[in-house]
Amino acid sequence: MNITLNGNNKSLQKKSSVLDLLKDLQLTPETVVVELNTTIIQPDSYDSTDIGEGDQVEIIRFVGGG
Amino acid sequence: MLQVNEQRIIFHSGTTVGELAKKYKPTADLFILNGFPVPVDTEVLDGDTCTFIQKGVTPSPDEFEIFLTARHTPGIQKKIKQSTVAILGLGGLGSAVAGAMAKIGIGKMLLSDYDVVEPSNLNRQHYFVDQIGMLKTNALRDNILRMNPSLSLELIDKRLTEQVLPGLFADVDVLIECFDDPAMKAATLRSILTRMKNVAYVGSSGMAGFGENNAILTRMERPGIYIVGDETSEARPGMGLMAPRVGIAAHHQANQALRIILGVAKGRE
């Protein structure tokens, strides 16, 4: 399955939820903002939201310190 | 016309700074003409702005406003004075951002932090040794009111959650995210994107250690949404937060907020 992740093409091996994708990318779910086809996904829906063929995914990642 | 301290007066050619000072501020011992110190025998020109100061005496809020206007030009100062910013997190970033916004004479600031000043903060945060143990909100208020006594401040000293952010900050012009915790950073941006659609945002990610100066960037994520930092240098054991690089990021944030306020950087669409 092919998606667009932050403007770049990415292939996913299997059906994935948002949470699966974040794990695959080794990102901590609490420290990112995820937008799926222009909708912001709330963290409590990461597990239940599936990513489909051709979806546009934007992930904004934060690192600690301030 | 001439502007002499708070007053507008009729211009007469040949008048010197010293003569004006004698009439309008006899105790003055520092004479500023159009933003620069001058000798007392300097002649004024029509349209000039004179500011006469007595060294060691605190100017009134009105006088202070006049100094800023003379420095920044009136149109710009008016926009700054009419604007409200919120600063979330008053650590190395937030305390420095607050200082910069205070000095340029921002109209109103909402300052938010639940924590107290600890000894470990003092390697980068703009507090003093004798403020250890004070709430950061109170300590920062004291410090920035010494920089600019005419500020309007609102202090929020409770721990914030994603749910409460819109109720507190939906009416500000620019929200400046200065949290330490990456989960609160993400929560703030999520809240801005979904529930505060008129509020411009300047967030932060990645400014620990002593890496390259020029790796700290201000990136436009989308109109009115900006993230400052190198987006990789995470604070962790062995790479602590230090005043110089945190200061670079803080002043990127402050300048970006100013640019949004002045309409030269894109706001929300």
Side-chain angles (χ1 to χ4, degrees), chain A residues 3-62:
Chain A
I3 64 165
T4 305
L5 175 63
N6 292 352
N8 301 313
N9 293 325
K10 181 174 173 66
S11 295
L12 300 181
Q13 300 302 320
K14 55 182 173 55
K15 186 169 177 289
S16 296
S17 67
V18 169
L19 188 60
D20 295 330
L21 177 63
L22 294 176
K23 281 182 183 163
D24 185 36
L25 296 169
Q26 296 184 313
L27 294 174
T28 310
E30 294 76 30
T31 64
V32 298
V33 175
V34 180
E35 192 182 56
L36 178 61
N37 301 325
T38 75
T39 301
I40 302 291
I41 308 299
Q42 294 301 322
D44 57 8
S45 303
Y46 287 167
D47 200 14
S48 59
T49 305
D50 288 330
I51 296 171
E53 176 70 31
D55 277 353
Q56 306 263 347
V57 184
E58 287 284 324
I59 298 176
I60 303 164
R61 166 188 181 232
F62 289 93

Side-chain angles (χ1 to χ4, degrees), chain A residues 30-33 35 40-43 46 58 60-66, chain B residues 92 179-180 183 185-186 190 193-194 201 204-207 221-222 227 235:
Chain A
E30 294 76 30
T31 64
V32 298
V33 175
E35 192 182 56
I40 302 291
I41 308 299
Q42 294 301 322
Y46 287 167
E58 287 284 324
I60 303 164
R61 166 188 181 232
F62 289 93
V63 299
Chain B
F179 287 125
D180 187 51
K185 289 175 183 289
R190 202 156 41 232
L193 291 172
T194 57
Y201 161 94
S204 57
S205 180
M207 75 298 295
E221 169 63 33
R222 55 195 69 182
I227 298 177

